[in-house]
Structure formats: C-alpha cells, structure tokens
Amino acid sequence: MKKAHNLIDSRRKSRKSVALKLGHDKISSLPDSVLCNILSFLPTDNVVATSILSSRWRHVWTSLHTLLFDATVCIRQGDFTDATMEMFEMFVMSVVLRTTPSNVQKFTLHSYRVSGSGRLKEWVSSAVMRDVRELELNLENQQRLELPKSIYSSRSLQVLKLDSDFDIAVPASGICFPNVKFLRVSLQYPENQLTEKLFANCPSIEEMWLKVYLKYDGPATNFIISSSTLKRFYWTVLVDDYNFAFNNCEHKCFIMAPLIQILHVVDDLMVSYEVHDLQFLQTVNVGIFFPEWSVLNPWEAVQLVNAVLNCKNLTLSSGVILVR
C-alpha cells in the first residue's frame, strides 16, 4: 500500500513537473514577433532585463518595435546626478544602436535633460530612418534644443508629441510633418516667424494640442491655425508673470478650420480671437482666467463666445460668465 501511495505521489510530481515545463515551453516557443508585442507594454529597461532569463530570451529585446525610455523609472527619485543621467543616456544610446528592426512603431523619451542636441538628434534620426509612426519627447528641465531636419519631412510619422520647448524650424518648402494626424506641441515665447507658418502647413492634421507660454513684456504674437483637415483643437495660453495683465499687449489667434468639431480654450491673458466659418462644431469649452478685467478688453471673450454659439455643447468658465 505504501509503495502504491509513493508511486501515485511520484506520478503527481512528475505530471506537475511536466506541466510546468510545458507552460514554460509554451511561452518560450512563441515567435519573437509575439514576444516583442507583449514586451512593448513595458519600459525598455525592463524589457532589456529579460535577456538574463535564459538563452532563448537573450536577444529577443533587440527586435523591439516600441522603445520607451523613461529616466523617472530608471533612476531613483532624488538621484538625478550628472553621473546617473550620463548612465541613462548611454543606456539609450546602446539600445538604439543594438535594436535591429527596420521599422519602429513608437519612440518615447522622458527625461530631465540630455547633454546636448547632438545625442537627441542621433536618437530621433535613427527612429525616423526606421519609419517611426509615433514619437514623443518630454525633457522637463531642458533648455531649447534643435530637432533633426529629417523629422519635418518624415512620411511615416503620424503621431508627434513635443512636450518640451524645442527649436522648431519650418522647412523652406513650407510643408511640415506631411502625414502627422495628431500633433501636441509646447512653445515657450515663440516668434511670429514660427507661429504664423507652422500650424498652417501641416496638411494631414486632425487633432492638435497647442500649449504656449508668453512673456509679460514680450512682443505681440500671431497664431494662425489654418487647416482643411483639423477636427479637434485644444488650445492653452499661459503667462509666466501675472503682471502681464497690466500690459496692453494684444496677441491674436486666427482659427480657420471649417471641419473643427471640438474646440477647447484655456486662456490666462485674453488673446484676441478671429474665428471663421466653424460649421461642424459639436463641443466647445472656453475657460479664460486672469486677475484684472479692468485693464484688458473683456469683449474679446464675448466675441469668441459669439463666434461658437452654433455648437451643440458649450461650457464656459466662471470668468467668461462674469463678462457675459
């Protein structure tokens, strides 16, 4: 009887061992394309770490189509020294050089800074050469950096998120980001040479998020949003010094996009708006906030609201209601 029990226990252990092996084999036997698709949901540093699991996994990460670099994940909070940032940049460089796919679905870089435009250009250029579709750059404490020229003419790029202040140069041809459908840009103290051209020369744009920071003593800026394809526009105007409210400097925003369905406005300093022929408006949110109504012309807000009254859903901030 005892031998029978031992035999049963032995068989149970054997089956469990086989099951574990089969489970392991099932995962490891998946093709690289499937494994990379699973790994694409993880930060790249975690993906690279899978190379120590076994010989089967050693080179899987080099076939990644999604590269997600986040210094806030790789480096412990409070440990952002020059040495740790240099190690992070070397890690990014190593991965960019060692990954082998001919195309990149997504390239994301979130860091506090990079040592210079040279490295950033090299990384972005590599992604563009591999027909990147989605590109996101967020450098929190970085001075203005240049972007590589190849990004402006990329035909694979469809989603572009520039969440830092970059030196954007509209090509001489006038056409910029030819196939980008989603554009998110943050601009600090932009010049009219950029704001009057960039947003009128993106031929495929459907959704745009534009955040601008303006100096209290800066010159008047004109923003021309002219598009035959734009459907959703999210616009935020911020000021770095609320003394700006006491300077009668008139900034202007021209919106000429007949297909717009969603318009979202957050304005700290009462830009002058000129809106043309928005026949398909569905939803409009208007939030205008600044401390002194008496020194600026409140009727700018009234004119904006009057221009969008044909929408189906209209939400106003308390400041706008006060003017009304």
Side-chain angles (χ1 to χ4, degrees):
M1 182 68 67
K2 187 175 181 180
K3 290 182 178 180
H5 281 300
N6 289 339
L7 180 60
I8 293 173
D9 288 340
S10 176
R11 288 178 177 177
R12 284 177 178 174
K13 290 179 181 180
S14 178
R15 288 173 183 174
K16 185 176 181 181
S17 176
V18 170
L20 289 173
K21 288 181 179 180
L22 286 175
H24 175 74
D25 288 340
K26 286 181 180 179
I27 296 174
S28 297
S29 63
L30 291 173
D32 283 4
S33 59
V34 176
L35 293 177
C36 285
N37 185 51
I38 297 171
L39 295 175
S40 67
F41 296 97
L42 299 175
T44 300
D45 61 312
N46 291 341
V47 175
V48 174
T50 62
S51 62
I52 67 172
L53 293 177
S54 68
S55 58
R56 167 69 182 91
W57 288 84
R58 186 171 301 163
H59 302 293
V60 171
W61 67 272
T62 62
S63 300
L64 280 175
H65 292 268
T66 299
L67 301 178
L68 309 177
F69 301 105
D70 191 341
T72 63
V73 173
C74 295
I75 303 174
R76 292 179 299 179
Q77 188 173 6
D79 194 25
F80 289 94
T81 63
D82 289 342
T84 56
M85 292 306 301
E86 177 66 19
M87 290 177 62
F88 173 73
E89 291 186 23
M90 294 305 295
F91 169 72
V92 175
M93 181 82 71
S94 174
V95 172
V96 169
L97 291 175
R98 295 180 64 185
T99 47
T100 57
S102 59
N103 62 83
V104 174
Q105 300 288 333
K106 182 177 182 179
F107 182 97
T108 297
L109 175 65
H110 184 188
S111 181
Y112 283 92
R113 63 181 185 273
V114 294
S115 57
S117 292
R119 282 185 176 177
L120 179 67
K121 285 183 176 180
E122 185 175 348
W123 302 337
V124 175
S125 294
S126 176
V128 171
M129 288 177 61
R130 301 184 196 184
D131 295 330
V132 64
R133 295 185 182 180
E134 182 174 347
L135 180 65
E136 180 176 353
L137 303 176
N138 188 339
L139 307 175
E140 296 182 7
N141 299 322
Q142 181 68 55
Q143 294 182 346
R144 185 173 295 180
L145 292 173
E146 293 181 355
L147 294 167
K149 293 181 179 179
S150 58
I151 193 174
Y152 300 106
S153 58
S154 170
R155 295 197 170 276
S156 63
L157 193 59
Q158 298 180 13
V159 176
L160 178 60
K161 302 174 183 179
L162 301 176
D163 294 322
S164 305
D165 186 33
F166 291 96
D167 186 5
I168 300 175
V170 179
S173 64
I175 302 298
C176 199
F177 311 130
N179 291 319
V180 168
K181 296 182 178 180
F182 180 101
L183 177 64
R184 190 170 72 203
V185 179
S186 178
L187 300 175
Q188 296 184 24
Y189 327 130
E191 299 179 355
N192 281 330
Q193 185 177 3
L194 172 64
T195 60
E196 292 181 351
K197 294 181 180 179
L198 175 60
F199 309 111
N201 290 283
C202 301
S204 303
I205 196 73
E206 294 183 4
E207 182 169 333
M208 183 190 301
W209 294 65
L210 175 58
K211 180 187 292 185
V212 297
Y213 297 84
L214 299 174
K215 290 183 178 180
Y216 74 93
D217 58 351
T221 309
N222 296 323
F223 295 88
I224 299 178
I225 313 300
S226 177
S227 172
S228 61
T229 58
L230 185 63
K231 297 178 181 178
R232 297 170 294 277
F233 182 39
Y234 299 82
W235 159 258
T236 301
V237 183
L238 302 174
V239 61
D240 63 353
D241 187 336
Y242 279 97
N243 289 327
F244 187 92
F246 297 96
N247 293 278
N248 192 20
C249 183
E250 186 174 339
H251 300 270
K252 295 182 179 180
C253 179
F254 302 87
I255 302 177
M256 297 166 283
L259 296 184
I260 282 186
Q261 299 173 8
I262 298 176
L263 176 63
H264 186 97
V265 175
V266 176
D267 190 339
D268 269 1
L269 50 86
M270 197 61 266
V271 168
S272 174
Y273 292 91
E274 188 172 319
V275 180
H276 295 268
D277 192 27
L278 305 184
Q279 298 180 6
F280 297 96
L281 275 179
Q282 300 289 323
T283 302
V284 177
N285 291 278
V286 179
I288 296 177
F289 309 95
F290 56 87
E292 276 296 329
W293 289 97
S294 59
V295 295
L296 294 177
N297 182 6
W299 294 104
E300 301 286 5
V302 176
Q303 292 175 1
L304 172 60
V305 172
N306 284 336
V308 298
L309 284 178
N310 63 316
C311 70
K312 294 184 178 180
N313 303 292
L314 175 61
T315 303
L316 305 178
S317 71
S318 59
V320 177
I321 295 173
L322 175 63
V323 176
R324 293 287 288 169

